[in-house]
Amino acid sequence: MEIFKEIKPLKAFLKEKTPAATIGLVPTMGALHHGHLSLIEASKRENALTVSTIFVNPAQFNNPEDLKKYPRTLERDCEMLRQAGCQVVFAPEVTTLYEHEPTVTFDFGTLDKILEGKFRPGHFSGVALVVSKLFHIVNPTTAYFGQKDFQQFKIIEKLVEELKFDLQLKMMPIIREPDGLALSSRNKRLSEPERKKAALLFRSLTEAKKLLIRGEKIFNVKEIVNQNYKSVDGVKLEYFELANIENLSPAETVTNQTILLMAAYVGEVRLIDNLLMEE
Ligand code: AMP
């Protein structure tokens, strides 16, 4: 496995391999888990060369404390990627991707102002900026992202469409712990009791889905989810919304095009999850 910290040698290496080889790109912020590895596996199945990037992108953190506390485990990550059969890692320093404070920002209209965007202003602009840089540097055939960050996937779809990036996007399913908790690098920050409480996200999503299938009104389901959170100490629901999977506009009725999205604090750690009505 080749590890690059600089852009030029990475590009030279990739240029030598292409156009014969298809390139799969898996962007990550490191602190890898099996969710990330499922993206690597998908890329390996479908491409001659898999490139994974490890970069904690300051531009997408609206909370400086969250950025500071984000787990960084580069050596362990590289070992996991090596074992997963990833061929190339790009793990640049911040100054390599941002020579100075970025001045370019993105505006996706409503899409980046709702849900995550409402609580994390500027987050998706930062995501779009770093993903654009990575697409330009790696020039992948296909880029792989997780459904775990569903709104992020919709933003990247828009980015690719509007900037005419010549690549395919693939969204892969959420990998979960046995109790349903979606794997996340942030789970590492949970204490043992918090870790147990964190199962509440998936539990309330699945309960909400069952109630909706039974025909319960959206308003009542939201109330039940709110009550679930109020009954547990040390957790705080930030939002629970139903949206249309096409443009994430609020769902007024429930169909198989509806997605349930949630963000909550467990202690100090902010977690997100979602569930498709169709799954
Ligand atoms: P991150 O390192 O959190 O930026 O995530 C890198 C990629 O892995 C993103 O496309 C995420 O959506 C995806 N990902 C994160 N958690 C999971 C999971 N539990 N299952 C599948 N994909 C995931």
Side-chain angles (χ1 to χ4, degrees), residues 27-30 33 35-36 38-39 70 144-149 152 173-175 182-183 185:
T28 82
M29 296 205 297
H33 50 65
H36 297 114
S38 72
L39 305 183
Y70 202 86
Y144 297 80
F145 295 90
Q147 183 200 315
K148 161 97 187 324
D149 300 276
Q152 168 175 284
I174 304 175
I175 307 295
L183 298 193
S185 306

Side-chain angles (χ1 to χ4, degrees), residues 105-124:
T105 55
F106 287 81
D107 187 336
F108 293 90
T110 315
L111 191 57
D112 66 345
K113 315 290 183 301
I114 54 173
L115 302 164
E116 285 300 285
K118 186 166 155 198
F119 294 94
R120 303 186 69 187
H123 167 67
F124 288 119

